[in-house]
Amino acid sequence: MVQRVQGRLPIAVLVSGTGTNLQALLDTVHEHEAQVVAVASSVADAPALQRALERGVPTAVFGRAEYEDRKARDGAMADWLQERGVRLVVLAGYMELLGEAFLCRFPGAVINVHPSLLPAFPGLAAIEQALAYGVKVFGVTVHFVDAGVDSGPVISQRAVELGDAQKPEEVLSALRPIEHALLPEAVRLLARGALRVDPENRRRIAVEG
């Protein structure tokens, strides 16, 4: 678990796509409660990288094809992040799994935003899964990352009722503003050292202060 730090919490953001959640972080917590000191991507032409460069944030690409295996890729990325003093890693549309070796380099300090109310619809195509199931209520979860697939303890969730939604684009449009609110708020809580694991239930994350 991230301990409260003096000054701004140095964070890294991992991205694979357009970077709207990265932009939300840059527009809210960056240079306030936190400092985005690194942005890493699995995709060389991800538009998110340009968002980072426009704010003067160092970027790097760690494509799977450039390394012998995922463990080697994760190790190189972890080295680069730690060289920059990263204390919290934020997955914001990062479309790769991270191995246990990477997570051990940042214990209790990797979080993700997922477009469903976990534990429902983990993994890829969460919105499509939910639509196929016929749900009426959708939502967003911010959670700690563990070695499973979207199985780490929940930090925060918010739901929205979309009874008539039929297309993924409709749902995503409704969920984006929720993602952009919940993810920075989770970073704020971590920067304050306000999150604690309930000793009686290791999956329950309590907010203090």
Side-chain angles (χ1 to χ4, degrees):
M1 190 72 65
V2 176
Q3 300 299 312
R4 185 171 184 173
V5 298
Q6 294 296 321
R8 297 165 179 157
L9 176 67
I11 70 173
V13 184
L14 306 191
V15 297
S16 295
T18 59
T20 63
N21 280 303
L22 167 62
Q23 190 67 54
L25 293 168
L26 292 171
D27 289 344
T28 54
V29 296
H30 180 56
E31 298 184 337
H32 295 281
E33 298 89 346
Q35 188 78 18
V36 182
V37 298
V39 171
S41 179
S42 57
V43 180
D45 60 353
L49 294 172
Q50 185 59 37
R51 296 178 187 268
L53 291 172
E54 288 173 358
R55 295 294 295 270
V57 178
T59 65
V61 177
F62 297 88
R64 286 279 297 275
E66 300 170 21
Y67 298 90
E68 180 180 355
D69 53 26
R70 188 174 73 188
K71 183 177 180 180
R73 185 276 313 274
D74 285 359
M77 184 162 60
D79 288 344
W80 186 75
L81 298 182
Q82 290 189 323
E83 287 168 4
R84 279 147 189 81
V86 169
R87 294 283 303 277
L88 174 69
V89 180
V90 180
L91 277 58
Y94 185 67
M95 304 304 291
E96 298 278 349
L97 294 176
L98 294 170
E100 287 191 58
F102 181 95
L103 298 176
C104 287
R105 300 276 292 272
F106 302 93
V110 183
I111 66 173
N112 182 44
V113 59
H114 184 74
S116 81
L117 295 172
L118 294 172
F121 313 117
L124 297 175
I127 293 173
E128 289 82 354
Q129 291 181 58
L131 285 168
Y133 199 86
V135 303
K136 304 296 184 181
V137 177
F138 299 79
V140 171
T141 302
V142 178
H143 64 97
F144 284 104
V145 176
D146 62 12
V149 177
D150 296 321
S151 57
V154 170
I155 298 171
S156 58
Q157 290 181 309
R158 190 174 299 169
V160 59
E161 187 169 348
L162 301 170
D164 297 326
Q166 298 183 25
K167 297 181 179 180
E169 296 79 11
E170 298 175 62
V171 179
L172 183 60
S173 178
L175 296 186
R176 279 296 190 218
I178 300 175
E179 293 179 350
H180 298 166
L182 287 190
L183 191 56
E185 181 56 27
V187 172
R188 289 189 185 99
L189 292 172
L190 284 157
R192 297 205 321 253
L195 299 183
R196 296 287 183 272
V197 177
D198 185 337
E200 297 182 1
N201 180 356
R202 302 291 298 177
R203 291 202 56 80
R204 184 175 182 274
I205 304 299
V207 178
E208 298 181 351

